[in-house]
Amino acid sequence: MQVISTATEYDAIYQQWQDQEVALVPTMGALHEGHLALIRLARQVADVVVVSIFVNPLQFGPQEDLSHYPRPLEQDLALCRELGVDAVFTPSVAVLYPEGMDNVTTVVPPVSLTERFCGEFRPGHFTGVATVVLKLFNLLRPQVAVFGEKDAQQLMVIRQMVRDLHLPVRVLPHPTIREASGLALSSRNRYLETEAERRAALSLSAILNRVRLSARQAVQAGQPPLNAETTLGEISREVLAEQSGPGVTIRLQYLAAVDKDTFEPIHTLGANAKVLAAAYVNDVRLIDNMDVE
Ligand code: PAF
């Protein structure tokens, strides 16, 4: 496995791959089973697998965890080696942003996609994501790129960028990987320090599961689809009351139903509904989502 950090080094190995199909798995490192599933999928669909590891400052807000973001590079490289990754691209900030980030050209995704949910609470985040992903696509020239469905809004933004800018990259989504408890895997789970925090973190998947179950039961019973606002409100109150405990505060940031194809908010929990959630467990921000069907 080659570990490279500059475009010139990459160009040299890219030439050797000739007509082979290259799949990229873009990551910020701190790899967990969720990333490993993306890498395995990349391995299945392409001849060559490239993983990028770059904690992208442009997608972090001033109050966010950029300086504390976990960077266990040696561990990440060992995992990539085990999975037969061909190359890991670990550029420095100076390689990706040689002139700094203040006056850099950015990709601004449509406001209709970013004004709500994570975009509302993390201004500029999706501009940072789209910009770095476009840079990675241009530098690494993959034919396929694999992204996790846990970051559902990010996936929408990237798909739309690929369509709008006619990028010659096939975006391949991978379903969210969960612990047996239901907790969606995330690099930020390692910030959950106490048992109470870990228990509270299960609130997100518990709410989403219960919403899904109730919506399905209504359909199976031949009832009209449930009202999204009422159902989400009732179930979240129920779950938060159960999962709260001493030493832990759970603060729901958003909980909403959207059409899974357009991301437009919807008012009933029909077959096309996706439910999105974000919450703070003490200081740790977690996100999750689930399709009703
Ligand atoms: O999902 C992530 O890890 C990041 O947002 C990505 C896509 C690697 C861009 O920095």
Side-chain angles (χ1 to χ4, degrees):
M1 183 178 85
Q2 317 233 26
V3 181
I4 55 220
S5 51
T6 66
T8 320
E9 285 171 305
Y10 184 77
D11 290 346
I13 58 165
Y14 192 81
Q15 273 177 12
Q16 294 163 16
W17 294 332
Q18 302 259 347
D19 295 329
Q20 301 191 76
E21 192 164 68
V22 176
L24 171 66
V25 183
T27 79
M28 298 205 300
L31 303 182
H32 50 66
E33 266 306 316
H35 295 110
L36 304 190
L38 307 185
I39 296 173
R40 289 192 192 100
L41 178 59
R43 190 63 298 153
Q44 277 168 29
V45 299
D47 306 306
V48 175
V49 176
V50 178
V51 172
S52 63
I53 298 181
F54 179 65
V55 182
N56 174 33
L58 199 62
Q59 70 188 73
F60 286 77
Q63 312 299 335
E64 293 182 355
D65 55 347
L66 174 63
S67 59
H68 304 113
Y69 199 84
R71 291 166 169 85
L73 183 61
E74 285 313 315
Q75 214 174 301
D76 289 347
L77 294 179
L79 289 169
C80 288
R81 234 173 245 119
E82 268 172 41
L83 290 188
V85 168
D86 297 279
V88 177
F89 183 58
T90 58
S92 62
V93 174
V95 165
L96 284 201
Y97 299 101
E99 306 198 6
M101 280 170 296
D102 291 342
N103 291 310
V104 75
T105 301
T106 54
V107 180
V108 182
V111 173
S112 59
L113 267 189
T114 58
E115 67 190 339
R116 300 186 182 96
F117 318 124
C118 288
E120 178 185 346
F121 295 100
R122 304 185 70 187
H125 170 68
F126 289 115
T127 292
V129 170
T131 302
V132 80
V133 169
L134 182 61
K135 278 172 175 281
L136 292 168
F137 285 179
N138 285 337
L139 287 168
L140 307 177
R141 285 152 283 152
Q143 284 77 39
V144 185
V146 189
F147 294 88
E149 287 178 350
K150 185 179 77 75
D151 297 298
Q153 197 172 10
Q154 165 171 289
L155 184 59
M156 286 294 285
V157 163
I158 289 165
R159 283 184 147 147
Q160 173 119 16
M161 173 179 79
V162 165
R163 279 200 305 276
D164 290 348
L165 303 183
H166 312 281
L167 304 178
V169 181
R170 185 158 59 96
V171 172
L172 206 56
H174 191 288
T176 303
I177 304 289
R178 298 178 182 282
E179 287 183 358
S181 63
L183 182 68
L185 295 193
S186 160
S187 303
R188 291 191 167 100
N189 291 353
R190 63 182 74 193
Y191 299 149
L192 300 167
E193 282 168 358
T194 64
E195 210 31 61
E197 286 180 342
R198 292 191 62 77
R199 222 178 79 90
L202 301 181
S203 309
L204 285 187
S205 56
I207 292 171
L208 298 176
N209 262 320
R210 267 188 226 183
V211 169
R212 179 159 69 167
L213 200 70
S214 305
R216 284 180 177 179
Q217 278 167 351
V219 172
Q220 278 158 11
Q223 294 163 5
L226 296 179
N227 176 282
E229 211 182 323
T230 322
T231 312
L232 298 183
E234 282 171 9
I235 291 180
S236 58
R237 276 192 295 277
E238 220 174 79
V239 171
L240 293 182
E242 286 166 18
Q243 305 285 120
S244 298
V248 65
T249 310
I250 316 170
R251 191 162 48 85
L252 212 48
Q253 195 177 50
Y254 63 77
L255 175 65
V258 294
D259 180 299
K260 66 179 171 198
D261 298 320
T262 63
F263 243 65
E264 280 300 312
I266 51 175
H267 302 293
T268 54
L269 296 171
N272 224 35
K274 183 189 269 303
V275 183
L276 311 170
Y280 276 95
V281 172
N282 289 341
D283 291 336
V284 185
R285 184 174 181 276
L286 301 171
I287 60 170
D288 200 351
N289 71 86
M290 236 177 243
D291 289 350
V292 160
E293 281 290 297

